[in-house]
Amino acid sequence: MTIVLPPTATGLTKAAALLREGGLVAFPTETVYGLGGDARSDAAVAAIFAAKGRPRFNPLIVHVSDLDAAERLARFDARARAVAQAFWPGPLTLVLPLRAEAGLSPLVTAGLGSVAIRVPAHAVAQGLLQAFAGPLAAPSANPSGRVSPTQAAHVLDGLAGRIAGVVDGGACMVGVESTILGLLPDSPPRLLRPGGLPLEVLEAVLGTGVATGLDEKAITAPGQLASHYAPVAAVRLGATTAAAHEVLVGFGPVTGTLTLSATGDLAEAAANLFDMLRRADVLAGAGGRIAFAPVPETGLGRAINDRLRRAAAPRA
Ligand code: AMP
Ligand code: MG
């Protein structure tokens, strides 16, 4: 029932037609596969929450083709324009004041006065946005709380039969979700989620530090829930050897049954992360555990460790 579409002009035309009918179509971005729906349609956005089993109070990221389209949805100040010009298209999401006339379904923003927007770089995502010619709400294309998809097969594992289609564009290059930066009036820049754009790179362009602690006033969001990105098997971090019934996932000098990057390359590790989490889960089997080697807390390591900590967190 879920059709797999090729990343060709014909495939994207079909995908855009499904989206215009209010259907949901998963598509590749450079970060992970997104589950797209018309961001202006209450019914389509409600269907995204239903397909994922995602709580409605958790707002979605809106994907648009360029900065002009983004400026029609949100108010950009000088800081926002500077980072957008530096990093879009790319793995950066900005949370900005919502324009009243944006025309987005209020479900997208969970009724907040702010909206999360991204311009993806992936050619297939760009092609789909052009063909659809409108804003797409697109959270990761997986059941809420589970591991994010970086291949079309991962999308089908979790959502086959629950969505209209998936455009198969191969494996995602970055492999972890976008960095989310809050840029709200009268507030310092705040990192809402570490991701595919390293914090250090962002700070260099902003020319100021970015607040990283949890904001008391911040909304609750799935990316911020302790247990998320959860495989079936229990996860242990900081491992250098495998204990009994453990599948070790290595990094750098620690060689495992699977290894995120033998050379300690953080970009390679990020690109491998979610697929290896899935494969380790299968290898661990019933009652088994997954152990991860330490990954440094710098650059993309911040996003990798964030996802690993959530995968290892006690389950609700
Ligand atoms: P994802 O789960 O990848 O779709 O990412 C969505 C995340 O974006 C949420 O978990 C929030 O952390 C963040 N987000 C989306 N919209 C807003 C908003 N209006 N204000 C603050 N954060 C938001
Ligand atoms: Mg997600």
Side-chain angles (χ1 to χ4, degrees):
M1 286 195 299
T2 298
I3 56 172
V4 178
L5 295 162
T8 58
T10 313
L12 295 178
T13 300
K14 174 69 182 166
L18 291 170
L19 289 165
R20 274 192 287 273
E21 291 162 14
L24 306 184
V25 178
F27 61 96
T29 79
E30 67 275 27
T31 60
V32 303
Y33 273 71
L35 179 58
D38 187 339
R40 301 159 299 192
S41 159
D42 290 338
V45 176
I48 292 177
F49 283 99
K52 284 180 61 75
R54 171 165 168 139
R56 290 248 192 140
F57 57 77
N58 291 315
L60 307 178
I61 296 173
V62 178
H63 293 66
V64 294
S65 56
D66 57 26
L67 178 55
D68 283 350
E71 295 220 30
R72 289 195 286 274
L73 304 179
R75 288 199 305 278
F76 283 65
D77 61 14
R79 303 170 304 179
R81 214 161 274 133
V83 290
Q85 275 159 359
F87 302 116
W88 279 354
L92 174 67
T93 295
L94 298 179
V95 172
L96 301 168
L98 173 68
R99 284 189 190 277
E101 68 279 19
L104 297 175
S105 164
L107 293 174
V108 170
T109 56
L112 295 168
S114 58
V115 59
I117 307 185
R118 182 161 94 88
V119 176
H122 197 294
V124 175
Q126 276 291 335
L128 183 60
L129 286 165
Q130 304 288 342
F132 179 64
L136 288 175
S140 55
N142 56 292
S144 187
R146 312 310 307 190
V147 179
S148 296
T150 55
Q151 300 176 19
H154 298 165
V155 175
L156 293 171
D157 277 351
L159 297 175
R162 312 187 64 164
I163 61 176
V166 54
V167 182
D168 186 353
C172 301
M173 301 80 96
V174 175
V176 290
E177 295 84 349
S178 58
T179 298
I180 305 181
L181 181 70
L183 287 174
L184 294 173
D186 308 316
S187 300
R190 179 170 294 275
L191 185 72
L192 300 178
R193 175 176 74 188
L197 183 72
L199 182 63
E200 296 86 339
V201 180
L202 199 48
E203 286 181 328
V205 165
L206 277 168
T208 60
V210 170
T212 55
L214 262 192
D215 183 349
E216 297 293 291
K217 292 174 293 184
I219 48 118
T220 316
Q224 296 171 355
L225 295 181
S227 174
H228 205 68
Y229 309 100
V232 175
V235 173
R236 178 170 75 93
L237 304 183
T240 50
T241 55
H245 310 295
E246 276 187 348
V247 175
L248 179 64
V249 183
F251 178 83
V254 179
T255 302
T257 306
L258 301 170
T259 299
L260 291 172
S261 169
T263 59
D265 178 343
L266 289 169
E268 181 185 17
N272 282 331
L273 179 66
F274 290 138
D275 185 51
M276 288 195 176
L277 202 42
R278 285 164 187 271
R279 285 160 55 195
D281 207 11
V282 173
L283 291 172
R289 295 206 306 179
I290 308 171
F292 274 90
V295 172
E297 185 75 11
T298 57
L300 285 171
R302 234 181 258 278
I304 295 170
N305 285 323
D306 172 78
R307 307 306 187 267
L308 289 177
R309 280 191 291 271
R310 292 173 206 281
R315 312 289 160 80

